[in-house]
Amino acid sequence: MMKSFSKFPVRVSGFALLFCLLVSMAFLNPNHTKAQVGSAQDKGIMLTIDNVARFDHGQRLRVDYTIHSPANASVSKNVGSPMESPHIWLGNTMVRGYSVSYKKTSPTTYKGTIVAQLHQYRPQGAQVTFYTYSILNERGRWKIQFYLEGI
């Protein structure tokens, strides 16, 4: 009889530990924003948004992207980024994005990050439109729309 009672506290404490772990994982990064991210292609150049996240207490938005080009392309020294003037719209409000970093990962691929300063008013969720008219010195139109939760 004593053996069965001695296993009881271990089971309860194991369950409590598992429960606390699951709850903490749910709230581990409250500034992370989930998005159904997408891609767009024009002139043979594919722009893919890999990840979207909020940071700095929700005041900034980070957009990680990948660019695939069909040929070995380079970044213009005048622009200083693979993407010229990226525009980000949250609903009907435009926020300016600026390139923070980029890296050429292969002769035809670039990976980079764009940051946008968010305005004070932000709805609970927002339709986001991301577009640019120039990638790797090639004129075109790359437009990606997605829904951003919890912004």
Side-chain angles (χ1 to χ4, degrees):
M1 184 88 172
M2 289 300 278
K3 283 187 174 184
S4 64
F5 282 124
S6 65
K7 292 180 182 178
F8 181 73
V10 173
R11 288 182 186 161
V12 170
S13 64
F15 175 77
L17 181 63
L18 178 63
F19 179 76
C20 289
L21 180 65
L22 291 174
V23 169
S24 66
M25 285 175 53
F27 296 104
L28 186 62
N29 189 358
N31 284 332
H32 184 73
T33 305
K34 299 212 182 246
Q36 298 171 351
V37 192
S39 60
Q41 184 172 355
D42 194 7
K43 312 281 182 164
I45 299 172
M46 174 72 79
L47 169 64
T48 302
I49 296 179
D50 302 314
N51 187 40
V52 178
R54 289 181 304 148
F55 69 102
D56 196 16
H57 304 290
Q59 296 299 311
R60 294 193 215 180
L61 188 68
R62 184 185 77 227
V63 179
D64 299 320
Y65 66 88
T66 303
I67 296 172
H68 294 282
S69 65
N72 189 358
S74 61
V75 173
S76 169
K77 292 183 183 195
N78 296 340
V79 177
S81 171
M83 198 180 320
E84 186 178 338
S85 299
H87 301 299
I88 302 170
W89 287 82
L90 268 65
N92 295 324
T93 305
M94 187 175 97
V95 293
R96 274 289 181 199
Y98 58 93
S99 180
V100 175
S101 65
Y102 69 91
K103 179 170 128 178
K104 191 170 189 174
T105 57
S106 78
T108 60
T109 305
Y110 282 89
K111 288 191 168 284
T113 300
I114 292 171
V115 171
Q117 181 73 36
L118 300 178
H119 300 286
Q120 290 291 53
Y121 171 73
R122 294 180 306 278
Q124 287 299 327
Q127 180 69 32
V128 179
T129 304
F130 180 97
Y131 69 90
T132 185
Y133 294 110
S134 179
I135 295 179
L136 300 173
N137 306 319
E138 186 71 41
R139 288 284 188 210
R141 183 177 174 162
W142 293 266
K143 180 179 179 180
I144 301 171
Q145 291 184 310
F146 54 95
Y147 186 78
L148 198 56
E149 296 176 9
I151 187 155

